């Protein structure tokens, strides 16, 4: 009898909760839309709170760190001015971190903006690489380097430095690393960023790496350091289409 009464109480409680749940469903009795535009008066307490930070941020974003003699655009088949600049900077940093690094790699989609001719600001670099991607160095077998080259051929070229790649009919026709033919049995070191090393942008050729070293430096920090270093040396930012990735028709 006690068991029957206990289960009856439990079922009654469950029924009550279920009925309460049904009754407490929110409903909209009157819809009203609010327009957000310049006529809306800001909260001065909030504005006064963030204004000092906004000023500091704008000052930093507008800080000039270099000068580009030409516009670095995404235009081009196989390679582009902005892609060559990007991966040259990445290879420069990779070889600082590990002198055995031979090549660098990014993707066209990862470079989010071009650079106009003239002053280069911190904000310009943030626009180019707004993500938190960090530097990664991979050790690969030669045959996996060939898989990487095949990926670039399939995708009609990607930003890279330290290589000469000839693509014909979507296939790798010639592939050199630092001027030498690829050796399938040799080992190579490639600098990229963690997003691509993890398989982002459909990059599947880094699934069998021999070694991997992740660094804390962000890619945009590398780009800013590269531009600032050249500026201190009295150099302007330049890039050229040099045939590192060529597509034969």
């Amino acid at each position: 009898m006690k068991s029957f009464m206990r289960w009856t109480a439990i079922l009654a409680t469950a029924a009550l909760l279920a009925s309460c749940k049904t009754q407490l469903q929110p409903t909209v009795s009157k819809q009203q839309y609010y327009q957000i535009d310049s006529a809306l008066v800001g909260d001065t307490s909030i504005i006064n709170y963030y204004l000092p930070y906004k000023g500091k941020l704008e000052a930093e974003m507008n800080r000039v760190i270099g000068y580009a003699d030409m516009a670095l655009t995404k235009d081009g088949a196989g390679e582009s001015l902005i892609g060559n600049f990007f991966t040259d900077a990445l290879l420069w940093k990779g070889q600082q971190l590990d002198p055995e690094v031979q090549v660098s790699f990014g993707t066209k989609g990862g470079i989010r903006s071009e650079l106009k001719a003239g002053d280069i600001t911190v904000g310009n670099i943030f626009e180019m690489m707004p993500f938190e991607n960090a530097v990664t160095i991979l050790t690969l077998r030669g045959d996996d380097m060939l898989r990487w080259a095949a990926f670039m051929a399939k995708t009609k070229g990607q930003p890279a430095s330290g290589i000469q790649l000839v693509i014909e009919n979507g296939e790798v026709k010639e592939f050199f690393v630092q001027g030498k033919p690829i050796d399938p049995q040799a080992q190579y070191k490639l600098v990229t960023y963690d997003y691509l090393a993890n398989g982002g942008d459909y990059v599947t050729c880094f699934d069998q790496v021999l070694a991997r070293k992740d660094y804390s430096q962000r890619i945009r920090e590398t780009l800013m350091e590269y531009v600032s270093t050249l500026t201190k040396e009295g150099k302007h930012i330049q890039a050229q289409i040099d045939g590192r990735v060529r597509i034969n028709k």
Side-chain angles (χ1 to χ4, degrees), residues 115-161:
L115 277 179
K116 296 180 180 179
D119 288 340
I120 300 173
T121 66
V122 171
N124 295 146
I125 302 300
F126 265 83
E127 291 170 356
M128 184 190 306
M129 175 51 73
F131 311 112
E132 295 300 301
N133 302 150
V135 176
T136 296
I137 293 178
L138 305 176
T139 303
L140 302 169
R141 299 180 185 86
D143 51 4
D144 287 320
M145 290 285 287
L146 289 169
R147 292 172 59 208
W148 170 54
F151 166 80
M152 290 193 286
K154 182 180 179 180
T155 55
K156 300 181 180 179
Q158 296 290 345
S161 188

Side-chain angles (χ1 to χ4, degrees), residues 24-221:
L24 292 177
Q25 290 297 317
T27 59
V28 178
S29 59
K30 182 181 179 181
Q31 292 185 352
Q32 186 171 353
Y33 294 92
Y34 295 90
Q35 186 169 342
I36 300 176
D37 55 23
S38 58
L40 187 65
V41 179
D43 187 322
T44 54
S45 64
I46 296 177
I47 293 174
N48 291 334
Y49 178 80
Y50 74 68
L51 269 180
Y53 302 100
K54 181 175 181 288
K56 292 180 181 179
L57 179 62
E58 289 179 344
E60 176 62 14
M61 289 298 107
N62 292 327
R63 181 167 61 89
V64 176
I65 58 175
Y67 188 91
D69 286 333
M70 65 187 77
L72 304 185
T73 67
K74 293 185 177 183
D75 300 333
E79 60 180 293
S80 68
L81 291 175
I82 194 66
N84 288 358
F85 159 77
F86 183 95
T87 50
D88 285 350
L90 190 53
L91 183 59
W92 170 82
K93 173 50 66 175
Q95 291 178 335
Q96 282 187 337
L97 297 170
D98 185 340
E100 294 183 356
V101 168
Q102 296 157 290
V103 296
S104 63
F105 169 57
T107 57
K108 291 176 284 190
I111 303 175
R112 306 304 285 186
S113 70
E114 303 175 330
L115 277 179
K116 296 180 180 179
D119 288 340
I120 300 173
T121 66
V122 171
N124 295 146
I125 302 300
F126 265 83
E127 291 170 356
M128 184 190 306
M129 175 51 73
F131 311 112
E132 295 300 301
N133 302 150
V135 176
T136 296
I137 293 178
L138 305 176
T139 303
L140 302 169
R141 299 180 185 86
D143 51 4
D144 287 320
M145 290 285 287
L146 289 169
R147 292 172 59 208
W148 170 54
F151 166 80
M152 290 193 286
K154 182 180 179 180
T155 55
K156 300 181 180 179
Q158 296 290 345
S161 188
I163 67 167
Q164 295 82 44
L165 174 64
V166 178
I167 301 169
E168 192 170 285
N169 298 321
E171 302 288 340
V172 175
K173 184 177 181 182
E174 295 179 9
F175 184 35
F176 295 85
V177 172
Q178 294 294 338
K180 298 180 180 179
I182 194 76
D183 179 355
Q185 304 304 318
Q187 293 184 13
Y188 299 85
K189 288 191 177 182
L190 175 150
V191 60
T192 185
Y193 39 97
D194 52 358
Y195 176 69
L196 299 183
N198 293 337
D201 269 359
Y202 306 100
V203 178
T204 60
C205 49
F206 299 147
D207 58 341
Q208 300 178 39
V209 298
L210 298 173
R212 171 174 173 164
K213 175 68 175 178
D214 292 307
Y215 295 85
S216 60
Q217 186 174 44
R218 301 291 183 263
I219 296 299
R220 62 170 170 267
E221 294 169 347

